[in-house]
Amino acid sequence: MQLPESEELDISALSGVFKDTTNSYKFYWILAILDGLKENGESVITQQELALRMLANVWYPLDFYKLSFGPQDGFRKIAGYISNKVQIDNRPNSPSLLNQINHSLSSKDLSELAQEAKKLYRWVPYRFIRPFFNSETKGIPDHQVNATISRLCYEMFKSHPQRVLYRFVGDAIELNPAWVTYFQKHQSILRGFVHWHLVKFVQKNNPNVIGLTEKLEKPVMRDLKLANRFWKYYLNEHSDLRCIYSGQLITNQNLSLDHFLPWSYVAHDHLWNITPTTISVNSSKSNSIPSLERYFKSFSAMQYKAVRFYLDKQNEKLLEDYSYLFKTDLRSLSEEMFSKKLYTQLFPHFQIAQNMGFAYPFIYDSRG
Protein backbone atom coordinates (compact mmCIF):
# COMPACT_ATOMS: atom_id res chain seq x y z
CA MET A 1 0.00 0.00 0.00
CA GLN A 2 1.39 3.39 -1.04
CA LEU A 3 1.30 6.60 0.96
CA PRO A 4 0.53 9.92 -0.75
CA GLU A 5 3.68 11.56 -2.04
CA SER A 6 4.96 14.95 -0.88
CA GLU A 7 7.66 17.16 -2.37
CA GLU A 8 8.53 18.55 1.06
CA LEU A 9 8.53 15.42 3.27
CA ASP A 10 10.47 12.17 3.37
CA ILE A 11 7.57 9.82 2.69
CA SER A 12 9.87 6.92 1.82
CA ALA A 13 11.16 6.88 5.41
CA LEU A 14 7.60 6.97 6.75
CA SER A 15 6.69 4.07 4.48
CA GLY A 16 9.43 1.98 6.08
CA VAL A 17 8.53 2.43 9.74
CA PHE A 18 6.86 -1.02 10.00
CA LYS A 19 9.69 -2.99 8.40
CA ASP A 20 10.64 -6.06 10.48
CA THR A 21 8.03 -5.27 13.17
CA THR A 22 8.01 -7.92 15.92
CA ASN A 23 5.38 -6.46 18.27
CA SER A 24 2.33 -4.21 18.15
CA TYR A 25 3.73 -1.11 19.82
CA LYS A 26 4.64 0.87 16.69
CA PHE A 27 1.17 0.43 15.20
CA TYR A 28 -0.59 1.73 18.28
CA TRP A 29 1.95 4.53 18.80
CA ILE A 30 1.18 6.14 15.44
CA LEU A 31 -2.57 5.47 15.80
CA ALA A 32 -2.49 7.28 19.16
CA ILE A 33 -0.80 10.26 17.48
CA LEU A 34 -3.38 10.31 14.69
CA ASP A 35 -6.24 10.02 17.20
CA GLY A 36 -4.91 12.85 19.35
CA LEU A 37 -4.39 15.09 16.35
CA LYS A 38 -7.83 14.32 14.96
CA GLU A 39 -9.69 14.91 18.21
CA ASN A 40 -7.78 17.87 19.64
CA GLY A 41 -5.81 19.37 16.76
CA GLU A 42 -2.93 20.06 19.16
CA SER A 43 0.65 19.57 18.03
CA VAL A 44 1.91 18.88 21.58
CA ILE A 45 0.69 15.56 23.02
CA THR A 46 1.72 14.25 26.42
CA GLN A 47 3.17 10.80 26.77
CA GLN A 48 0.43 9.94 29.28
CA GLU A 49 -2.28 10.78 26.75
CA LEU A 50 -0.52 8.74 24.09
CA ALA A 51 -0.10 5.79 26.45
CA LEU A 52 -3.78 5.79 27.42
CA ARG A 53 -4.84 6.11 23.80
CA MET A 54 -2.67 3.13 22.92
CA LEU A 55 -4.23 1.05 25.70
CA ALA A 56 -7.76 2.05 24.69
CA ASN A 57 -7.03 0.88 21.15
CA VAL A 58 -5.37 -2.43 22.05
CA TRP A 59 -8.08 -3.44 24.54
CA TYR A 60 -10.57 -4.52 21.86
CA PRO A 61 -8.34 -6.94 19.90
CA LEU A 62 -6.65 -8.31 23.02
CA ASP A 63 -9.33 -8.54 25.70
CA PHE A 64 -12.66 -8.37 23.87
CA TYR A 65 -11.72 -10.45 20.82
CA LYS A 66 -8.96 -12.48 22.57
CA LEU A 67 -6.41 -12.10 19.78
CA SER A 68 -2.70 -12.74 20.26
CA PHE A 69 -0.02 -10.18 19.52
CA GLY A 70 2.75 -12.75 19.93
CA PRO A 71 5.04 -13.80 22.80
CA GLN A 72 7.03 -10.54 22.81
CA ASP A 73 4.00 -8.32 23.33
CA GLY A 74 3.17 -7.19 26.87
CA PHE A 75 -0.07 -5.29 26.34
CA ARG A 76 -2.39 -8.19 27.25
CA LYS A 77 -1.74 -7.97 30.98
CA ILE A 78 -2.55 -4.24 31.02
CA ALA A 79 -5.66 -4.80 28.90
CA GLY A 80 -6.80 -7.28 31.54
CA TYR A 81 -6.14 -4.68 34.23
CA ILE A 82 -8.51 -2.28 32.45
CA SER A 83 -11.23 -4.95 32.37
CA ASN A 84 -10.88 -5.47 36.13
CA LYS A 85 -11.04 -1.76 36.89
CA VAL A 86 -13.60 -0.45 34.39
CA GLN A 87 -17.15 -1.67 33.67
CA ILE A 88 -16.82 -1.28 29.91
CA ASP A 89 -19.81 -0.41 27.76
CA ASN A 90 -19.26 -1.96 24.32
CA ARG A 91 -22.46 -0.82 22.65
CA PRO A 92 -21.74 0.80 19.27
CA ASN A 93 -23.09 4.19 20.41
CA SER A 94 -21.36 4.16 23.81
CA PRO A 95 -18.60 6.67 24.71
CA SER A 96 -15.14 5.82 23.46
CA LEU A 97 -13.13 3.47 25.63
CA LEU A 98 -10.63 6.27 26.28
CA ASN A 99 -13.44 8.42 27.72
CA GLN A 100 -14.68 5.51 29.80
CA ILE A 101 -11.19 4.92 31.20
CA ASN A 102 -10.66 8.60 31.96
CA HIS A 103 -14.01 8.89 33.76
CA SER A 104 -13.74 5.62 35.69
CA LEU A 105 -10.19 5.81 37.05
CA SER A 106 -8.66 8.26 39.48
CA SER A 107 -5.81 10.55 38.41
CA LYS A 108 -3.43 8.33 40.37
CA ASP A 109 -4.69 5.17 38.64
CA LEU A 110 -4.48 6.83 35.22
CA SER A 111 -0.91 7.91 35.86
CA GLU A 112 0.13 4.45 37.07
CA LEU A 113 -1.61 2.80 34.11
CA ALA A 114 0.21 5.08 31.68
CA GLN A 115 3.53 4.40 33.39
CA GLU A 116 3.03 0.64 33.06
CA ALA A 117 2.33 1.05 29.35
CA LYS A 118 5.35 3.29 28.85
CA LYS A 119 7.59 0.63 30.37
CA LEU A 120 6.56 -1.65 27.51
CA TYR A 121 7.00 0.74 24.61
CA ARG A 122 9.73 2.98 26.05
CA TRP A 123 11.96 2.54 22.98
CA VAL A 124 9.18 2.92 20.41
CA PRO A 125 8.97 6.76 20.21
CA TYR A 126 12.63 6.73 19.14
CA ARG A 127 12.74 3.57 17.06
CA PHE A 128 9.57 4.56 15.18
CA ILE A 129 11.40 7.50 13.61
CA ARG A 130 14.80 5.81 13.29
CA PRO A 131 14.27 5.25 9.51
CA PHE A 132 14.55 9.05 9.13
CA PHE A 133 18.03 8.94 10.67
CA ASN A 134 19.48 5.71 9.33
CA SER A 135 22.78 7.23 8.27
CA GLU A 136 23.30 9.06 11.58
CA THR A 137 22.48 6.03 13.76
CA LYS A 138 24.15 3.32 11.70
CA GLY A 139 26.68 1.39 13.74
CA ILE A 140 26.20 3.18 17.05
CA PRO A 141 25.55 1.08 20.18
CA ASP A 142 21.90 0.41 21.09
CA HIS A 143 22.16 2.27 24.38
CA GLN A 144 23.08 5.46 22.51
CA VAL A 145 20.37 5.33 19.84
CA ASN A 146 17.56 7.00 21.81
CA ALA A 147 19.70 9.92 22.96
CA THR A 148 21.08 10.40 19.46
CA ILE A 149 17.63 10.45 17.86
CA SER A 150 16.30 12.81 20.52
CA ARG A 151 19.18 15.23 19.89
CA LEU A 152 18.79 15.07 16.11
CA CYS A 153 15.05 15.72 16.34
CA TYR A 154 15.61 18.82 18.42
CA GLU A 155 18.45 20.15 16.28
CA MET A 156 16.70 19.52 12.94
CA PHE A 157 13.11 20.30 13.93
CA LYS A 158 13.08 23.61 12.02
CA SER A 159 15.98 23.23 9.62
CA HIS A 160 15.00 19.81 8.23
CA PRO A 161 11.26 19.38 8.88
CA GLN A 162 11.01 16.70 6.17
CA ARG A 163 12.99 14.37 8.43
CA VAL A 164 11.50 15.21 11.83
CA LEU A 165 7.96 13.99 12.55
CA TYR A 166 8.21 15.18 16.14
CA ARG A 167 10.65 16.18 18.83
CA PHE A 168 10.72 15.40 22.54
CA VAL A 169 9.68 18.19 24.88
CA GLY A 170 9.73 17.12 28.51
CA ASP A 171 7.24 14.31 28.93
CA ALA A 172 5.51 15.10 25.62
CA ILE A 173 6.12 15.10 21.90
CA GLU A 174 5.72 18.11 19.65
CA LEU A 175 4.59 17.31 16.13
CA ASN A 176 6.33 19.16 13.34
CA PRO A 177 3.90 21.61 11.64
CA ALA A 178 4.86 20.26 8.20
CA TRP A 179 3.87 16.74 9.24
CA VAL A 180 0.74 17.95 11.04
CA THR A 181 -0.49 19.31 7.72
CA TYR A 182 0.28 16.01 5.98
CA PHE A 183 -1.36 13.92 8.74
CA GLN A 184 -4.51 16.04 8.74
CA LYS A 185 -4.82 16.01 4.96
CA HIS A 186 -4.30 12.25 4.63
CA GLN A 187 -5.72 10.99 7.93
CA SER A 188 -7.90 8.25 6.35
CA ILE A 189 -5.17 6.96 4.03
CA LEU A 190 -2.65 6.89 6.88
CA ARG A 191 -5.04 4.88 9.04
CA GLY A 192 -5.58 2.46 6.17
CA PHE A 193 -1.81 2.14 5.79
CA VAL A 194 -1.37 1.36 9.50
CA HIS A 195 -4.26 -1.12 9.55
CA TRP A 196 -2.99 -2.86 6.43
CA HIS A 197 0.33 -3.56 8.15
CA LEU A 198 -1.40 -4.34 11.46
CA VAL A 199 -3.66 -6.96 9.83
CA LYS A 200 -0.60 -8.67 8.33
CA PHE A 201 1.04 -8.68 11.77
CA VAL A 202 -2.09 -10.03 13.49
CA GLN A 203 -2.65 -12.69 10.83
CA LYS A 204 0.84 -14.02 11.49
CA ASN A 205 0.04 -14.43 15.19
CA ASN A 206 -3.56 -15.68 14.71
CA PRO A 207 -3.43 -17.91 11.61
CA ASN A 208 -6.66 -19.82 12.33
CA VAL A 209 -8.85 -16.97 13.56
CA ILE A 210 -11.74 -15.77 11.41
CA GLY A 211 -12.82 -12.16 10.79
CA LEU A 212 -9.54 -10.53 11.80
CA THR A 213 -10.23 -7.28 9.97
CA GLU A 214 -13.36 -6.83 12.10
CA LYS A 215 -11.50 -7.42 15.35
CA LEU A 216 -9.12 -4.49 15.53
CA GLU A 217 -11.57 -1.85 16.72
CA LYS A 218 -14.72 -1.32 18.74
CA PRO A 219 -17.63 -3.53 17.56
CA VAL A 220 -19.89 -1.99 14.95
CA MET A 221 -23.66 -2.12 15.05
CA ARG A 222 -24.83 -5.71 14.70
CA ASP A 223 -27.32 -6.42 11.95
CA LEU A 224 -29.89 -8.79 13.44
CA LYS A 225 -32.81 -7.77 11.23
CA LEU A 226 -32.69 -11.01 9.25
CA ALA A 227 -32.28 -13.15 12.37
CA ASN A 228 -35.17 -11.37 14.09
CA ARG A 229 -37.38 -11.89 11.07
CA PHE A 230 -36.29 -15.54 10.83
CA TRP A 231 -36.97 -16.50 14.43
CA LYS A 232 -40.01 -14.32 15.11
CA TYR A 233 -41.88 -15.78 12.15
CA TYR A 234 -40.88 -19.28 13.25
CA LEU A 235 -41.98 -18.49 16.82
CA ASN A 236 -45.40 -17.31 15.63
CA GLU A 237 -46.12 -20.84 14.40
CA HIS A 238 -44.27 -22.70 17.17
CA SER A 239 -45.62 -21.41 20.47
CA ASP A 240 -43.93 -24.29 22.30
CA LEU A 241 -40.41 -23.09 21.42
CA ARG A 242 -38.04 -23.45 24.37
CA CYS A 243 -34.55 -22.14 25.13
CA ILE A 244 -31.86 -24.77 24.53
CA TYR A 245 -29.94 -23.64 27.63
CA SER A 246 -32.64 -23.23 30.26
CA GLY A 247 -35.71 -24.99 28.89
CA GLN A 248 -37.68 -21.78 29.46
CA LEU A 249 -40.60 -21.06 27.14
CA ILE A 250 -39.72 -18.37 24.59
CA THR A 251 -42.30 -15.69 23.83
CA ASN A 252 -42.32 -12.54 21.76
CA GLN A 253 -41.90 -10.61 25.00
CA ASN A 254 -38.78 -12.38 26.31
CA LEU A 255 -37.18 -13.36 22.98
CA SER A 256 -33.45 -12.67 22.68
CA LEU A 257 -31.02 -13.88 20.02
CA ASP A 258 -27.84 -15.58 21.15
CA HIS A 259 -24.70 -16.25 19.11
CA PHE A 260 -23.92 -19.89 19.91
CA LEU A 261 -20.25 -19.22 19.17
CA PRO A 262 -19.76 -15.79 20.79
CA TRP A 263 -20.12 -12.80 18.49
CA SER A 264 -16.77 -11.52 19.75
CA TYR A 265 -15.25 -14.67 18.23
CA VAL A 266 -17.15 -14.94 14.92
CA ALA A 267 -17.80 -11.19 14.36
CA HIS A 268 -20.80 -11.97 12.14
CA ASP A 269 -24.56 -12.55 12.41
CA HIS A 270 -25.01 -15.64 10.21
CA LEU A 271 -28.21 -17.52 10.99
CA TRP A 272 -26.57 -20.93 11.50
CA ASN A 273 -24.83 -19.56 14.61
CA ILE A 274 -27.86 -17.85 16.17
CA THR A 275 -30.33 -19.46 18.52
CA PRO A 276 -33.39 -17.97 20.20
CA THR A 277 -33.22 -17.71 23.98
CA THR A 278 -34.55 -15.44 26.69
CA ILE A 279 -33.17 -12.06 27.65
CA SER A 280 -31.99 -13.22 31.08
CA VAL A 281 -30.28 -16.36 29.76
CA ASN A 282 -28.53 -14.44 26.99
CA SER A 283 -27.22 -11.95 29.54
CA SER A 284 -25.99 -14.82 31.71
CA LYS A 285 -24.16 -16.50 28.82
CA SER A 286 -22.51 -13.27 27.64
CA ASN A 287 -19.50 -14.15 25.43
CA SER A 288 -18.85 -17.59 26.93
CA ILE A 289 -18.66 -20.77 24.85
CA PRO A 290 -21.54 -23.17 25.57
CA SER A 291 -20.89 -26.77 26.50
CA LEU A 292 -20.97 -28.78 23.29
CA GLU A 293 -21.72 -31.97 25.20
CA ARG A 294 -24.76 -30.47 26.85
CA TYR A 295 -26.20 -28.13 24.22
CA PHE A 296 -25.10 -29.04 20.69
CA LYS A 297 -27.75 -31.72 20.13
CA SER A 298 -30.56 -29.32 21.09
CA PHE A 299 -28.98 -26.48 19.12
CA SER A 300 -28.68 -28.59 15.99
CA ALA A 301 -32.20 -29.98 16.31
CA MET A 302 -33.66 -26.47 16.62
CA GLN A 303 -31.65 -25.28 13.62
CA TYR A 304 -32.78 -28.25 11.53
CA LYS A 305 -36.45 -27.76 12.41
CA ALA A 306 -36.25 -24.09 11.45
CA VAL A 307 -34.55 -24.89 8.14
CA ARG A 308 -37.17 -27.53 7.33
CA PHE A 309 -39.90 -25.06 8.26
CA TYR A 310 -38.68 -22.50 5.73
CA LEU A 311 -38.05 -25.14 3.09
CA ASP A 312 -41.66 -26.26 3.48
CA LYS A 313 -42.74 -22.62 3.19
CA GLN A 314 -40.63 -22.41 0.00
CA ASN A 315 -38.83 -19.43 1.47
CA GLU A 316 -35.31 -20.51 0.57
CA LYS A 317 -34.16 -16.91 0.29
CA LEU A 318 -33.96 -16.83 4.09
CA LEU A 319 -31.72 -19.90 4.08
CA GLU A 320 -28.78 -18.52 2.12
CA ASP A 321 -26.51 -18.55 5.20
CA TYR A 322 -27.07 -22.29 5.54
CA SER A 323 -26.56 -22.94 1.84
CA TYR A 324 -23.21 -21.11 1.90
CA LEU A 325 -22.13 -23.04 4.99
CA PHE A 326 -23.17 -26.55 3.88
CA LYS A 327 -22.53 -26.08 0.16
CA THR A 328 -25.23 -28.60 -0.72
CA ASP A 329 -28.95 -28.83 -1.42
CA LEU A 330 -30.55 -28.35 2.00
CA ARG A 331 -33.53 -30.50 1.00
CA SER A 332 -31.25 -33.49 0.64
CA LEU A 333 -30.09 -33.38 4.26
CA SER A 334 -31.58 -35.66 6.86
CA GLU A 335 -31.50 -34.42 10.44
CA GLU A 336 -28.53 -36.69 11.17
CA MET A 337 -26.57 -35.43 8.13
CA PHE A 338 -27.44 -31.84 8.99
CA SER A 339 -26.17 -32.33 12.54
CA LYS A 340 -22.92 -33.96 11.42
CA LYS A 341 -22.17 -31.22 8.92
CA LEU A 342 -22.96 -28.48 11.43
CA TYR A 343 -20.77 -30.13 14.06
CA THR A 344 -17.92 -30.47 11.57
CA GLN A 345 -18.13 -26.74 10.85
CA LEU A 346 -18.40 -25.64 14.47
CA PHE A 347 -16.09 -27.97 16.38
CA PRO A 348 -12.73 -26.56 15.14
CA HIS A 349 -13.86 -23.07 16.10
CA PHE A 350 -14.81 -24.22 19.58
CA GLN A 351 -11.26 -25.50 19.98
CA ILE A 352 -9.71 -22.30 18.65
CA ALA A 353 -11.94 -20.07 20.78
CA GLN A 354 -11.00 -22.02 23.92
CA ASN A 355 -7.31 -21.72 23.07
CA MET A 356 -7.77 -17.97 22.63
CA GLY A 357 -9.15 -17.64 26.15
CA PHE A 358 -12.93 -17.48 25.76
CA ALA A 359 -14.63 -18.84 28.88
CA TYR A 360 -15.68 -22.51 28.52
CA PRO A 361 -17.95 -24.25 29.20
CA PHE A 362 -21.07 -22.19 29.75
CA ILE A 363 -23.73 -24.25 31.55
CA TYR A 364 -26.87 -22.41 32.50
CA ASP A 365 -27.56 -22.22 36.23
CA SER A 366 -31.09 -21.12 37.12
CA ARG A 367 -29.79 -19.95 40.51
CA GLY A 368 -27.82 -17.22 38.72
Side-chain angles (χ1 to χ4, degrees), residues 24-36 39 49-65 67 69 75 79 82 96-99 101 187 191 194-195 198 202 215-219:
S24 69
Y25 306 145
K26 284 184 179 180
F27 302 113
Y28 288 100
W29 170 254
I30 185 60
L31 286 174
I33 291 174
L34 292 173
D35 287 344
E39 292 180 22
E49 178 185 341
L50 290 169
L52 294 176
R53 287 188 180 280
M54 290 174 73
L55 293 177
N57 281 332
V58 302
W59 184 87
Y60 282 102
L62 286 180
D63 205 87
F64 185 76
Y65 294 113
L67 299 182
F69 282 171
F75 271 146
I82 293 173
S96 71
L97 183 52
L98 179 64
N99 285 340
I101 292 172
Q187 176 89 213
R191 287 181 182 279
V194 176
H195 278 104
L198 179 56
V202 174
K215 297 179 177 179
L216 299 179
E217 296 180 323
K218 182 178 180 178

Side-chain angles (χ1 to χ4, degrees), residues 243-307:
C243 168
I244 65 170
Y245 305 119
S246 66
Q248 296 173 13
L249 190 67
I250 299 173
T251 67
N252 281 310
Q253 288 68 44
N254 68 12
L255 172 66
S256 183
L257 298 179
D258 169 64
H259 291 73
F260 194 62
L261 274 168
W263 185 91
S264 51
Y265 172 77
V266 297
H268 64 61
D269 299 304
H270 295 167
L271 291 175
W272 51 261
N273 187 52
I274 294 177
T275 183
T277 182
T278 67
I279 296 170
S280 61
V281 173
N282 201 357
S283 177
S284 174
K285 178 174 176 284
S286 187
N287 67 342
S288 299
I289 308 170
S291 167
L292 272 177
E293 292 77 10
R294 180 168 295 213
Y295 299 121
F296 176 76
K297 185 176 180 180
S298 298
F299 172 72
S300 178
M302 181 181 288
Q303 290 282 332
Y304 181 75
K305 289 175 183 177
V307 168

